Amino acid sequence: MAGRRDAILTRDKNHQITASRIAIAVFVGVLLGCIFAFFSPHGFFTSIPTPPILNHKVALSACETPEQLNALKLNIQSAKEKNSDLKKEVKSLMERLRLAEQGKGHAREQFVVLGENHKAGPFGTVKALRTNPPVIPDESVNPRLAKLLEEVAIYKEVVVVLANTNVLEMLEVWFTNVKRVGILNYLVIALDDKIQEFCKSNDVPVYRRDPDEGVDLIAKSGGNHAVSGLKFRILREFLQLGYSVLLSDVDIVYLQNPFDYIYRDSDVESMSDGHNNYTAYGYNDVFDEPSMGWARYAHTMRIWVYNSGFFYIRPTLPSIELLDRVADRLSKEKAWDQAVFNEELFSPSHPGYDGLHAAKRTMDMYLFMNSKVLFKTVRKDDKLKKLKPVIVHVNYHPDKLVRMKAVVEFYVNGKQDALDSFPDGSD
């Protein structure tokens, strides 16, 4: 028994020694590994670098000869140049299209409709043409004016006012407020030398027409109505040169830029002499004739006239025909230009007369405000008084200068009682 026990003890002792050696070996290995890792973090051997992945273009280029590469480069450069030229051409065409459309797209619609015949669409979807195409500009009509308009006009649009010495003070109020609201594209047609020098001294764009017998006499000494008739002859040259004109009388106060509020979808856009929605935009007026018995009531359509002292006119054939008709009648008849202007614009074709086929639009009467609307209605209404019109035309009152100054005091300087002292009408 003693021998067996000694053998077991000896074996256990050997196992303990072996386990101790293994533990020491493991510890030493771990220690050496930590030391090697600290002093040589990338290992003792350098790995073979992985070749870079070539992109598709490089792979293709490797297959090309130098001559082929040069040819490809030339083709690419040529394509870029052609693309650049195409972009310039497209830009030029788009600019011409934008000018022709005047920002509204109606010229494009007309081109599409006139280019081919169409079937009528579903109920409620059919829209007729509203905008006539502009005329081709003809600079030979007046090269001097054409050169001036290139400098003054913006997007082929310009405000035009005619003035002689009789309205010098009103003209000063006129262009002072035009400048104040930031209108740059405006032009004074000087009808005498004094107005021309006055405009030049105040840095106002001015155009003096060449002397013209008869016309020149009216320009220098004529009153408001005579000068108003003259403007239709002068405006024709602007339209022939391809410019849209916002024709303005001198008794107008500008409070905002009118070009921001024009639709440009008609041959003529005009402010109205109407003083409410019915008179400005049209209404059904019933005429009563009792002697007719059962048919005593006759329905009529009524609208108050357009004001010939403030209207926007596009360079179209119907517009030029309108100016020709009015100017011709005024040269032969003793008539008011505004009455003739509206008769030619609204009279329909009938036996012995061919009506004018011109599209027309009535301006918003609260934005393009006549003085009847202002003094009879707006100044007495707390809500309407807060509205800022685009222009105020002192067309209903003879004391124009003082009322123009009062309009400036009220809308520009904020003097709330500036309009109170004036009567609704004239004394």
Side-chain angles (χ1 to χ4, degrees):
M1 292 291 292
R4 184 178 179 183
R5 184 178 58 193
D6 291 338
I8 292 173
L9 290 174
T10 301
R11 186 179 61 185
D12 292 339
K13 186 176 181 179
N14 292 334
H15 283 168
Q16 291 176 0
I17 293 172
T18 301
S20 297
R21 289 177 178 174
I22 292 173
I24 292 170
V26 171
F27 175 76
V28 172
V30 172
L31 181 61
L32 291 174
C34 291
I35 294 172
F36 293 151
F38 180 78
F39 288 104
S40 183
H42 300 292
F44 293 104
F45 303 101
T46 303
S47 60
I48 299 174
T50 303
I53 300 174
L54 299 176
N55 58 35
H56 182 62
K57 292 182 179 179
V58 175
L60 286 177
S61 299
C63 300
E64 305 288 349
T65 65
E67 292 77 10
Q68 290 174 320
L69 287 176
N70 290 333
L72 285 173
K73 289 179 181 179
L74 290 175
N75 289 337
I76 292 173
Q77 183 62 30
S78 176
K80 287 182 178 180
E81 291 176 357
K82 289 181 180 179
N83 188 43
S84 178
D85 292 339
L86 285 174
K87 286 182 178 179
K88 290 179 181 179
E89 185 175 353
V90 170
K91 184 179 180 181
S92 175
L93 289 173
M94 291 299 292
E95 178 67 11
R96 290 169 59 189
L97 180 62
R98 184 190 62 77
L99 292 175
E101 294 169 348
Q102 291 294 325
K104 294 295 180 180
H106 301 286
R108 184 188 300 112
E109 294 174 5
Q110 180 151 2
F111 176 80
V112 172
V113 173
L114 294 177
E116 57 181 302
N117 295 329
H118 292 265
K119 293 182 179 179
F123 179 82
T125 64
V126 177
K127 298 293 182 182
L129 297 180
R130 285 164 174 78
T131 307
N132 286 297
V135 298
I136 298 173
D138 182 7
E139 293 188 3
S140 65
V141 171
N142 191 330
R144 185 164 65 90
L145 179 59
K147 184 177 180 181
L148 178 59
L149 289 176
E150 286 182 2
E151 300 173 359
V152 174
I154 298 176
Y155 299 143
K156 306 287 281 188
E157 295 178 324
V158 62
V159 180
V160 173
V161 64
L162 280 70
N164 60 18
T165 305
N166 296 335
V167 295
L168 188 146
E169 289 184 280
M170 283 194 291
L171 178 63
E172 184 174 15
V173 177
W174 185 90
F175 67 64
T176 297
N177 285 279
V178 165
K179 290 181 178 182
R180 182 183 53 78
V181 299
I183 301 172
L184 302 176
N185 49 331
Y186 69 99
L187 183 66
V188 176
I189 306 297
L191 301 179
D192 55 48
D193 294 334
K194 187 174 181 179
I195 287 294
Q196 183 180 19
E197 294 304 319
F198 179 68
C199 289
K200 288 182 177 179
S201 64
N202 286 276
D203 195 27
V204 171
V206 62
Y207 171 70
R208 183 79 161 94
R209 300 182 71 250
D210 293 329
D212 185 352
E213 291 184 9
V215 173
D216 197 45
L217 180 62
I218 294 174
K220 290 181 178 179
S221 58
N224 287 342
H225 287 299
V227 172
S228 294
L230 177 62
K231 67 192 176 191
F232 294 98
R233 295 181 61 177
I234 297 176
L235 281 182
R236 192 186 203 278
E237 293 184 351
F238 286 79
L239 301 193
Q240 284 182 277
L241 293 172
Y243 289 86
S244 296
V245 176
L246 182 59
L247 189 281
S248 173
D249 275 355
V250 74
D251 57 342
I252 292 177
V253 177
Y254 286 76
L255 302 168
Q256 299 186 65
N257 191 329
F259 290 112
D260 295 336
Y261 297 88
I262 292 175
Y263 284 80
R264 303 171 178 87
D265 64 347
S266 304
D267 298 299
V268 178
E269 292 181 53
S270 178
M271 70 173 295
S272 173
D273 271 2
H275 61 94
N276 55 32
N277 286 346
Y278 293 106
T279 56
Y281 309 135
Y283 62 103
N284 184 355
D285 184 41
V286 180
F287 176 77
D288 184 11
E289 190 176 6
S291 63
M292 287 298 295
W294 175 81
R296 63 182 291 179
Y297 299 110
H299 290 258
T300 67
M301 288 305 300
R302 301 279 299 277
I303 185 172
W304 284 30
V305 296
Y306 282 176
N307 190 287
S308 62
F310 189 87
F311 60 87
Y312 177 86
I313 186 166
R314 295 178 59 249
T316 65
L317 290 178
S319 297
I320 295 175
E321 184 182 1
L322 170 65
L323 298 181
D324 287 351
R325 288 186 178 209
V326 175
D328 181 62
R329 282 188 56 184
L330 291 176
S331 68
K332 300 174 181 178
E333 306 172 16
K334 190 175 181 180
W336 182 25
D337 70 283
Q338 180 161 291
V340 175
F341 175 73
N342 279 272
E343 288 171 6
E344 293 298 333
L345 194 55
F346 284 95
S347 295
S349 297
H350 56 265
Y353 176 80
D354 289 330
L356 181 72
H357 295 270
K360 45 198 172 287
R361 169 182 282 275
T362 306
M363 292 176 171
D364 187 314
M365 69 172 183
Y366 289 117
L367 294 179
F368 299 90
M369 191 183 298
N370 62 58
S371 55
K372 182 175 182 177
V373 172
L374 175 61
F375 287 98
K376 186 178 179 180
T377 305
V378 171
R379 67 169 175 167
K380 302 175 184 179
D381 188 297
D382 291 337
K383 292 183 178 179
L384 291 177
K385 285 172 68 174
K386 297 177 182 178
L387 174 69
K388 186 176 183 180
V390 177
I391 60 106
V392 173
H393 189 178
V394 187
N395 60 315
Y396 269 100
H397 302 88
D399 50 341
K400 297 180 180 300
L401 183 59
V402 291
R403 292 199 186 227
M404 288 177 72
K405 291 180 178 180
V407 169
V408 174
E409 287 294 323
F410 181 78
Y411 283 109
V412 178
N413 300 328
K415 188 177 180 182
Q416 293 301 301
D417 61 348
L419 305 175
D420 296 347
S421 63
F422 297 94
D424 288 356
S426 55
D427 294 330

